[in-house]
Amino acid sequence: VDFLLTVGDNFYENGVSSVDDPQWKTKFEDVYADPALQLPIYPSLGNHDHRGNPQAQVEYSQRNKNWKMPALYYTFTHTLGDGTAVQYFAIDSNPIQQAGGDSTEQLTWLDAELGKSTARWKIVFGHHPLYSNGEGHGDNKAMIAKVGPLLTKHHVDVYLCGHDHTLEMLKPIGGVYHMVSGGGGGPDMAYGVTWTDKAYYAATLGGFTL
């Protein structure tokens, strides 16, 4: 494993208050203490993170070298062993899907960054799904309307998200694969999910995506 991504709700249920919040130790440092997990971690924000201080999660990047969050939304490129470039785009989906949320600047940024990318693979990741068969939330009309056209326009390969506490791999929509990896909370936090003919895979009771 070269690095880890998060699809939001990094600190359940009410985010963190500051870079000095004790949850940094109990819910991050102590959990990811194993030598095998000393890897770059690229986070994105969830709705529960927004209940606290989202900017504190950006600022924590200056405290811990493994926590790589330069802004509320950002991009980075990873080069595979054969030289193939994979560019990742972390979005803050909360204001995008929220009624009255101001997401114009972020969506303009995403459109521009995707447009100038020369990477072979483009992967966008954030918290809220566009499409999901999870019984907790399901499809998100605002995300479909605002983010969907950008994913299709710029031939994004994968949109990776959470929010629904399930694991799903959906068949391509507009050429884009949609993956829900919201099972990090384990079986105690799991949602039900329906495996429809629109999905390659659907499961519950926790897990991660490799």
Side-chain angles (χ1 to χ4, degrees):
V1 175
D2 295 309
F3 57 88
L4 305 175
L5 304 177
T6 84
V7 288
D9 285 357
N10 305 315
F11 295 92
Y12 213 80
E13 296 191 21
N14 296 305
V16 291
S17 59
S18 70
V19 293
D20 298 312
D21 193 308
Q23 290 183 99
W24 285 110
K25 181 172 182 356
T26 59
K27 293 183 178 181
F28 175 60
E29 295 170 7
D30 290 351
V31 176
Y32 291 85
D34 192 276
L37 296 175
Q38 301 312 300
L39 300 165
I41 297 176
Y42 296 95
S44 62
L45 295 168
N47 55 300
H48 286 271
D49 297 309
H50 272 272
R51 292 182 182 181
N53 180 359
Q55 190 62 33
Q57 297 197 36
V58 175
E59 294 168 0
Y60 186 74
S61 300
Q62 305 302 316
R63 292 281 187 97
N64 190 307
K65 63 180 178 60
N66 291 338
W67 188 268
K68 307 285 189 182
M69 191 175 188
L72 299 179
Y73 48 90
Y74 60 95
T75 182
F76 70 96
T77 299
H78 178 72
T79 303
L80 303 180
D82 63 358
T84 302
V86 186
Q87 189 167 357
Y88 294 82
F89 305 81
I91 64 171
D92 181 7
S93 63
N94 206 60
I96 298 173
Q97 62 85 44
Q98 194 173 50
D102 185 7
S103 58
T104 303
E105 183 177 328
Q106 180 180 182
L107 292 170
T108 300
W109 168 87
L110 181 62
D111 189 18
E113 291 295 325
L114 287 171
K116 68 185 183 184
S117 174
T118 59
R120 171 62 183 85
W121 303 101
K122 289 179 277 194
I123 297 175
V124 178
F125 66 105
H127 185 63
H128 294 85
L130 280 71
Y131 305 97
S132 169
N133 295 312
E135 295 173 6
H137 301 290
D139 293 353
N140 188 304
K141 292 181 180 179
M143 292 292 292
I144 292 171
K146 297 177 183 179
V147 178
L150 298 181
L151 302 181
T152 303
K153 172 185 176 182
H154 296 292
H155 306 289
V156 169
D157 297 284
V158 176
Y159 178 68
L160 179 63
C161 61
H163 200 43
D164 264 330
H165 300 181
T166 61
L167 301 175
E168 299 179 70
M169 178 72 175
L170 303 181
K171 294 177 182 179
I173 300 170
V176 183
Y177 287 89
H178 292 260
M179 299 178 66
V180 182
S181 183
D188 292 343
M189 299 296 292
Y191 293 171
V193 65
T194 302
W195 189 330
T196 72
D197 60 2
K198 297 179 180 179
Y200 286 124
Y201 180 82
T204 186
L205 299 181
F208 302 89
T209 298
L210 175 64

